[in-house]
Structures are given as structure tokens and as C-alpha cells.
Amino acid sequence: MMNLPPTAQNTKTSSWKARGQWLWSEYSVIVAFVVIILIASMLDSHFVSIDNLTNILRQVSIIGIISLGMTVVMLSGGIDLSVGAVLALLGALSVSVLNATQSVLLALLAALAAGAIVGSLNGLMVTKGRIPSFIATLGMMASARSIVLYFAEGGSLSGKAEGYTVIANTEWLGLALPVYIFLFMTLLVYVLMHKTRFGRYVYAIGSNEKAALLSTIRVNRVKMGVYMLCSIFVAAAAVVESSRLNSISSASSGLSYELDAIAAVIIGGTRMSGGRGKVIGTFFGVLILGVLNNMLNLMNISPYLQGLVKGLIIIAAVLLQKKEQQ
């Protein structure tokens, strides 16, 4: 067998190393998901039961919908901290319209329209006001939570019309309707971000906003669309959330959902600085969070410690991203 010269051997080794690094950077979240599934299966035999797996999908569907919108925002180089409080506000609005009109369709349309308005306000603060997205959406978070607490007098709002609970509690082929909504929206955002001009513009802005401006991209218009899209997805999640129990709590609904959404997006490989990430990564990031929560519950670990786990995961994911950039 002919031996390769040292130069050729080094080239071949470098090629395999580059391929390995590319595979890890592009598909590490899928590898991590498979590893976590295997570990969970070994820790508890009940984990792989059909009932438990479908329950995980049902539980992550609401956070998954929000995470898709958060992905688009973070790809543009921004962040939206208001998603949890806005969910409570839009859920309360949806239930109120439902009670006033007895129409599920009007309740849904009201939530989506209000979501678009909230998103446009966030977008205006970031684009025209030149306020950093962290500060702008932090202010929106405080405002939205305060409004819904005042409106509901610190309590809950319950639906008084039939048919609303069908949205979150209908099952088809063993899966709840929110799971299908999550899957459909994942496909929708994938096509939007990877197959359309809007998606290319979002990546360009997240990578280098000044270069995007010089390329005649209407940066402010794209950013407005990004924040509006995120809040519309939050509105859809709010309808599902309020439909699940036919009520919404002004104090606890949506609490810490922004942390879960950001964790899922970062675990999925989207950079905090924007410009790099994939929708499919967010999808698996959401599933990883769901599996971890389920695994902690099966192991009888206190729910008060689950936030610690998510925090450590976020820190670890950001550190790995920084290491890749070096």
C-alpha cells in the first residue's frame, strides 16, 4: 500500500478535522438531544412511554411557539424580554373579548391584532427611539405585567363561552392540537428564515448592521417586522395558554417564559450577537428543555431547582459559543 507524503497526510487530517468541526457546530444540538434521551431512558424506564413522550410535546408547545419568535429577534441581533408579561396581557384580552362577544374567532383575532401592536411598539422603541432592545423590552415587560394586574385586580380571568377550550385540549392521532400548531409554526418560520428575502435580511442585519445599511437593506423596516412577528407568535401562545384551562392568571401566567425561550434559542445554537443560528436548532433546544424538565420531575428533584439548571445551561451554551468564535 502506497504511503502518502507528509504534506498529503497533513492535508487529509486537516480536512477531516474541518469536517468534524463543521458537523459539531451545525448539528451539536441534535447530538446533545440524542444523548439526553439515552440518559433519561437509563435513569427511568417510564420516560420512553408513549404517554410521557406525548406529554413532553404538549408541555413544550407553548414555550416552543414563543421560542420561534425569539429566534427571529435574536438572529437580528436583538432580544425580547417582554414575551412572558405580554402573553399574560394578550391572554387576558383574549378571554375578555371572548366573554364580551361569545366568539372564539373574535377573541383570537383580538389577541393577534394586539400582539402586532405590542410588537410595533417594541420595534419603534428600538428603531426610531434608538433604545437598546434589552431596555426597550424590559420596559414593555414591566408595563404589560402592570396593566394586566390592574385589569384583573391581581387575580385571574375565566372564559364564559363554550368552545374556547377546544383549541388546547383537542387531540388528533394521539397528539394535542398545540403540538400541531408548534410544528406548523416551526415549518413556517423555517421557510421564512431560510427561503425568503426577509430571512436573508435578518441574518445580514444580525451579522453586520452597518454593512446591511450600505447594501440598501431597509434595516428599520426589517426590525419592525421582526418584533411584530415575535409578538404575534406570543399572541398565538397566549390563546393556547388561556384555552388550556379556560382562564389566565395576571400574576403567574407567562412568568419566566422569557428565560425558557432564550434558553431554548441559545441551546439551539443561535448567537446572542445575532447573524448565526437555525430554526431547527431552536426546535431541538425546546425539546431538550422539555426532556430535562421531565427528567428532573421523574427524579423527584424540587421544581425550585429547575431554574438553576436552566441558568447553568444558558451560561454553558454562551461559553461554548464564545469558544467557537475565538
Side-chain angles (χ1 to χ4, degrees):
M1 184 175 179
M2 184 180 294
N3 293 325
L4 292 173
T7 304
Q9 289 179 353
N10 292 338
T11 303
K12 189 174 181 180
T13 302
S14 299
S15 175
W16 279 108
K17 184 178 179 179
R19 288 180 182 178
Q21 290 176 343
W22 177 81
L23 285 172
W24 175 251
S25 64
E26 295 294 325
Y27 301 104
S28 57
V29 64
I30 300 177
V31 175
F33 174 70
V34 173
V35 170
I36 291 172
I37 287 287
L38 292 175
I39 293 173
S41 302
M42 290 186 289
L43 291 174
D44 195 312
S45 59
H46 297 292
F47 174 81
V48 292
S49 66
I50 297 298
D51 289 341
N52 188 56
L53 294 177
T54 54
N55 184 51
I56 292 174
L57 289 174
R58 180 196 289 268
Q59 289 176 343
V60 303
S61 57
I62 294 174
I63 291 298
I65 294 169
I66 297 172
S67 298
L68 293 171
M70 185 70 77
T71 301
V72 180
V73 172
M74 291 180 67
L75 283 173
S76 72
I79 197 167
D80 191 345
L81 299 178
S82 68
V83 292
V86 170
L87 179 140
L89 177 63
L90 298 180
L93 174 65
S94 179
V95 171
S96 298
V97 172
L98 176 73
N99 292 340
T101 64
Q102 300 295 302
S103 172
V104 175
L105 178 60
L106 287 177
L108 174 60
L109 292 177
L112 294 175
I117 292 171
V118 171
S120 65
L121 291 175
N122 282 335
L124 284 171
M125 287 189 287
V126 172
T127 57
K128 299 299 183 181
R130 302 294 179 185
I131 302 173
S133 59
F134 183 92
I135 302 300
T137 58
L138 184 64
M140 179 61 74
M141 177 181 72
S143 301
R145 184 65 70 180
S146 179
I147 291 171
V148 71
L149 284 169
Y150 174 79
F151 184 74
E153 297 181 348
S156 300
L157 294 173
S158 300
K160 299 176 182 178
E162 296 182 0
Y164 192 60
T165 56
V166 171
I167 297 173
N169 297 298
T170 299
E171 290 192 2
W172 186 58
L173 298 178
L175 292 177
L177 183 58
V179 177
Y180 290 104
I181 296 174
F182 173 41
L183 294 175
F184 171 75
M185 287 188 164
T186 301
L187 179 62
L188 182 67
V189 177
Y190 175 84
V191 173
L192 181 68
M193 296 307 299
H194 298 290
K195 304 295 181 181
T196 68
R197 184 180 299 177
F198 175 82
R200 292 194 295 272
Y201 287 172
V202 171
Y203 276 99
I205 292 170
S207 297
N208 192 323
E209 186 172 331
K210 290 184 178 179
L213 277 169
L214 294 174
S215 301
T216 68
I217 294 175
R218 296 181 177 180
V219 172
N220 285 351
R221 182 176 294 185
V222 174
K223 283 187 173 181
M224 285 285 294
V226 161
Y227 286 97
M228 287 180 68
L229 181 67
C230 182
S231 292
I232 289 172
F233 273 50
V234 172
V239 171
V240 175
E241 175 94 340
S242 56
S243 169
R244 185 168 58 91
L245 296 174
N246 201 28
S247 66
I248 199 82
S249 170
S250 61
S252 61
S253 291
L255 198 62
S256 298
Y257 279 15
E258 60 278 352
L259 175 64
D260 291 339
I262 292 169
V265 176
I266 294 176
I267 291 169
T270 299
R271 287 183 178 175
M272 288 290 293
S273 56
R276 182 175 177 181
K278 290 186 176 182
V279 175
I280 193 66
T282 296
F283 177 79
F284 279 100
V286 169
L287 294 182
I288 286 174
L289 277 183
V291 170
L292 285 174
N293 286 337
N294 184 261
M295 189 167 61
L296 292 174
N297 289 332
L298 290 175
M299 295 171 64
N300 293 320
I301 294 176
S302 172
Y304 300 116
L305 292 176
Q306 293 183 11
L308 172 63
V309 175
K310 293 172 189 175
L312 292 175
I313 289 172
I314 292 175
I315 293 170
V318 172
L319 288 175
L320 286 173
Q321 288 180 7
K322 286 185 175 293
K323 187 176 181 180
E324 289 178 3
Q325 293 173 9
Q326 292 175 353

